[in-house]
Amino acid sequence: MSDVTFPSRVSVREVGPRDGLQNEDPVPADAKVELIDALGRTGLRRIEAVSFVHPKAIPQMADADEVWSRVRRSPDIRYSALVPNVRGAERALAAGFTELEVVVSASDTHNRRNINRSTAESLADLPELASLVHSAGGTLQLIVSTAWGCPYEGDVPVSRVLSVVSSGARAGVDSLAYGDTTGMATPPRVTRLVEETRAAHPSLPLGLHFHNTRGTGLANVYAALQLGVDDFDASVGGLGGCPYAPGASGNIATEELVYLLEDMGIDTGVDLPALIEVAGLAERLVGRKLDSQVLRAGPAVR
């Protein structure tokens, strides 16, 4: 594979405070603030801090405004918030966020379970949502969840995923991310979807969000790196999953992703020992053993 050129640098977005904690038993606002602030001292430059969703849907995120108001924000870090609709975006913008993500599932059943709307209804909101965010000087990323499969519908056709992306592109989203909500992705599936997406939307920036439900998370990262993808989500300690995707265990662990990338000579800007310490903090805050192997074993002995 000597002809493969990997990215020289990868941008890592830490999603533990939002995507991680939303699938754990609720933790107090103090703990969330402590985790976000600790992550901000590891060299990470992007942190998904909260989501502005209805508290009945995701009670773990009911204190988003309080948490965000108390975070010690670093000017070197891009903080983002996830929103499900226009109302959520209004709340996020009012709180001071300028980097927003909207999630739409390629699976209609999952979209209804996740935000109580059909995929078509969510897509119909995108033009208004993008206009609202852009008029406030912000950016909007479309996250397409269940991009590689759905717990209710099974395999999701690539054509359906690309149809959702096309709707987002017409609405004016600034970037795209694919979420492997149920951990059904494998390297060949990743390769096909990334290649077909780039053929259809070559100018749309692409990030990837993998879960490790079936143990393929880092293998999928490696496959994507071979295609030049340089933007990945990860969750400290491997926190999280999806409350509306039965069996979907945690995201790939940020420290495992950073360990792999740095050993490959790919710069992340992250202090790995410091990040491992924060993974230990996350484990204590949620009160259970997390799945990260690098948290258990530590960095390699040199």
Side-chain angles (χ1 to χ4, degrees):
M1 307 198 63
S2 57
D3 56 338
V4 174
T5 301
F6 294 104
S8 61
R9 183 176 179 85
V10 157
S11 177
V12 177
R13 177 168 61 189
E14 171 59 53
V15 300
R18 196 283 303 176
D19 193 40
L21 292 182
Q22 78 168 19
N23 203 48
E24 302 289 338
D25 291 335
V27 299
D30 287 349
K32 296 174 183 177
V33 173
E34 183 181 5
L35 179 61
I36 294 170
D37 286 347
L39 288 165
R41 296 189 291 269
T42 64
L44 286 161
R45 289 295 173 258
R46 297 165 68 208
I47 298 175
E48 184 186 57
V50 296
S51 64
F52 290 92
V53 297
H54 197 288
K56 289 184 179 179
I58 308 288
Q60 294 91 332
M61 293 288 113
D63 55 2
D65 284 295
E66 178 190 355
V67 170
W68 180 237
S69 70
R70 294 171 53 192
V71 169
R72 295 184 179 180
R73 304 169 203 176
S74 167
D76 298 324
I77 297 174
R78 292 162 48 197
Y79 298 94
S80 62
L82 182 133
V83 302
N85 49 35
V86 171
R87 174 60 186 140
E90 290 172 342
R91 290 179 59 201
L93 293 169
F97 282 96
T98 58
E99 191 164 324
L100 276 63
E101 309 137 18
V102 59
V103 60
V104 179
S105 179
S107 156
D108 197 68
T109 305
H110 183 266
N111 209 68
R112 291 181 185 276
R113 297 290 184 98
N114 195 28
I115 56 175
N116 200 31
R117 309 179 80 194
S118 69
T119 298
E121 288 172 321
S122 290
L123 293 176
D125 264 1
L126 286 184
E128 179 184 359
L129 186 53
S131 176
L132 173 69
V133 174
H134 292 156
S135 66
T139 61
L140 181 66
Q141 179 179 74
L142 171 62
I143 300 177
V144 182
S145 61
T146 64
W148 284 281
C150 169
Y152 310 106
E153 298 181 11
D155 288 342
V156 175
V158 170
S159 59
R160 192 192 308 175
V161 178
L162 293 180
S163 175
V164 173
V165 175
S166 294
S167 294
R170 288 193 296 270
V173 300
D174 300 285
S175 62
L176 167 69
Y178 284 137
D180 182 24
T181 313
T182 56
M184 293 170 68
T186 59
R189 291 172 181 249
V190 171
T191 298
R192 180 185 175 193
L193 184 56
V194 170
E195 288 182 340
E196 294 202 23
T197 300
R198 288 213 170 128
H201 303 280
S203 63
L204 196 60
L206 174 64
L208 299 178
H209 177 120
F210 293 118
H211 286 205
N212 203 40
T213 312
R214 292 169 176 81
T216 59
L218 290 182
N220 293 331
V221 168
Y222 191 84
L225 289 169
Q226 292 176 310
L227 301 173
V229 177
D230 60 0
D231 186 332
F232 296 94
D233 288 354
S235 178
V236 64
L239 281 169
C242 177
Y244 295 99
S249 61
N251 300 277
I252 58 173
T254 314
E255 59 275 15
E256 293 184 346
L257 174 64
V258 170
Y259 171 73
L260 171 68
L261 294 172
E262 295 286 349
D263 200 63
M264 292 175 64
I266 300 173
D267 183 31
T268 64
V270 178
D271 180 337
L272 181 56
L275 184 60
I276 293 172
E277 287 189 15
V278 180
L281 168 65
E283 188 171 70
R284 293 190 295 275
L285 292 177
V286 299
R288 71 173 183 89
K289 183 179 178 180
L290 298 180
D291 293 334
S292 169
Q293 298 302 307
V294 171
L295 172 58
R296 304 269 84 80
V301 176
R302 300 271 179 201

